[in-house]
Amino acid sequence: MNGAYKPIFVGASDRVKLHPIVPPKADDAGHPPGRSTVCLGGQRTTNKKRGNDLTARLHARFCDFQVQAKNMEEQMQALQMHVDATVAQDMLQRYSHDIVAEMTKARDEIRRGRWEIDPDLHAEYDSLCFCLAVLELTHEMVVSTAPSAVRLLHWHNRHYLEEDVAEWWQQAQQHASGDKGTGARGEQFWDPICRLALSDYKVEVMQLLELSAEKDAHVGEVCDFLRKIPSLQQMDRGGASSVEFQQATHEIQGMASAMMRAIPPEHPVRPLLEVYAGCSQDRFDAGKDVGKRLARTWIEDIAYAHAWVFPDMRRTELGELLRSVAGRRESENITEIDHVLFAVLSLNIPELLQLLSSMPEQFPPFFVTHLVDILYFAGRI
């Protein structure tokens, strides 16, 4: 592949942009700078073969993507047609997914070894976890065309709730036969139920409600309601468009709001219904939404708010939601990784790249190289 060529690629899901691809220059060994010459985790690693294996696999994925792009452009030129934006977008999404898959494989390989007792392996594992979180969030914010509310929520579930979901289930199950009411035992049952609902574990919520000693007529009605509605993930897996997703979430909120009007204010099932009913802008600004009460961190707060309160919000508007969430969590300690996630959610690409470059222990050069590839082809740089 000599010289520059110009396949057409789409920008972020909110709008389409056209950008040329310029193949990177290779070194004498045929490796682009910053890929196979960089070991996983930089200088810390004691297993350079593993690092080189990953960078070689990532480079192979990049080359495959370039070849596919050029072939597509040549076919369109031969037919004197423009490249279909959907086809180009699908190609970019597959490439991004392939990069995620290779890094996930490398992380899981480390996890099957002695990473817990080997400091070098543990550092590499942590680095890959950070990289995957940022890469997947970037994919959802910049590349994906799916509704962002469900994608952000389940990104949070994958990277932050690995152990929490099982603990919430066990806590609720343990107190399912406890005393009724909103006292200490009641909260120990209903709080984990609401946390599971906020995280879109609808089936688990229904199962726990069936076990509950508090299953009166109102709880039974809520169970019937949950059986009728899809989870956010079910809509996503079914390929719901943004319009279909918005219509379904509005219907769910309307059904839940109507049920709340018929349930006594003191009934303990009300906070669960509040999850599905959403809330007004005024109640959100006042911090009276159930997500604010149960969210432990800013990232939980924004994931819950986008999924259940503002599901129609576009990706380009999440920066404003982030500022609102930050304003009601001023006492929370913010880490360097948090600032990286801020930059992704705000689509502040210059700041994102500057932060990543300043943290090579967490984000080694090979990762930044491939992230830049994706951002470039998505029309962000």
Side-chain angles (χ1 to χ4, degrees), residues 228-333:
K228 294 175 183 177
I229 67 171
S231 68
L232 301 184
Q233 189 170 58
Q234 285 174 325
M235 288 190 278
D236 186 43
R237 289 177 174 174
S241 67
S242 294
V243 173
E244 293 168 334
F245 182 81
Q246 290 174 14
Q247 181 179 354
T249 54
H250 288 170
E251 290 176 358
I252 291 170
Q253 288 178 339
M255 293 168 64
S257 297
M259 292 181 67
M260 286 183 63
R261 290 192 288 270
I263 294 178
E266 69 277 4
H267 198 286
V269 80
R270 285 183 65 90
L272 175 60
L273 273 178
E274 287 178 14
V275 173
Y276 297 99
C279 72
S280 66
Q281 179 74 57
D282 289 341
R283 285 183 61 83
F284 177 82
D285 291 341
K288 295 181 179 180
D289 55 301
V290 65
K292 169 61 168 64
R293 180 172 68 84
L294 294 178
R296 300 162 297 181
T297 63
W298 72 268
I299 191 64
E300 279 192 356
D301 203 347
I302 192 172
Y304 294 159
H306 189 22
W308 304 110
V309 183
F310 307 108
D312 299 349
M313 189 168 283
R314 293 163 59 90
R315 287 167 168 84
T316 51
E317 299 169 326
L318 289 180
E320 184 62 33
L321 178 59
L322 178 60
R323 285 187 285 273
S324 296
V325 168
R328 63 186 200 171
R329 307 189 72 91
E330 294 181 348
S331 62
E332 186 171 333
N333 292 326

Side-chain angles (χ1 to χ4, degrees), residues 77-184:
Q77 287 178 344
L79 296 172
Q80 295 184 338
M81 297 173 58
H82 292 293
V83 177
D84 183 83
T86 302
V87 174
Q89 190 170 49
D90 289 344
M91 185 182 297
L92 179 57
Q93 290 196 56
R94 288 196 301 272
Y95 170 53
S96 181
H97 280 304
D98 287 343
I99 298 299
V100 169
E102 293 295 354
M103 295 185 65
T104 301
K105 179 181 177 181
R107 180 200 63 186
D108 293 346
E109 287 173 350
I110 294 176
R111 194 168 187 171
R112 288 192 292 268
R114 297 164 56 86
W115 69 281
E116 289 186 303
I117 60 176
D118 185 320
D120 290 327
L121 287 179
H122 203 300
E124 291 179 7
Y125 176 81
D126 288 346
S127 175
L128 279 174
C129 288
F130 290 135
C131 291
L132 275 168
V134 172
L135 181 60
E136 289 188 29
L137 184 60
T138 302
H139 174 91
E140 301 303 348
M141 294 298 106
V142 175
V143 180
S144 175
T145 58
S148 57
V150 57
R151 292 299 183 89
L152 176 60
L153 180 64
H154 283 276
W155 168 86
H156 173 263
N157 290 353
R158 288 193 304 274
H159 291 283
Y160 286 86
L161 301 185
E162 183 176 6
E163 298 177 353
D164 292 351
V165 171
E167 292 177 359
W168 294 339
W169 167 271
Q170 291 171 1
Q171 180 183 345
Q173 187 179 42
Q174 179 182 357
H175 294 90
S177 59
D179 297 333
K180 295 184 180 182
T182 57

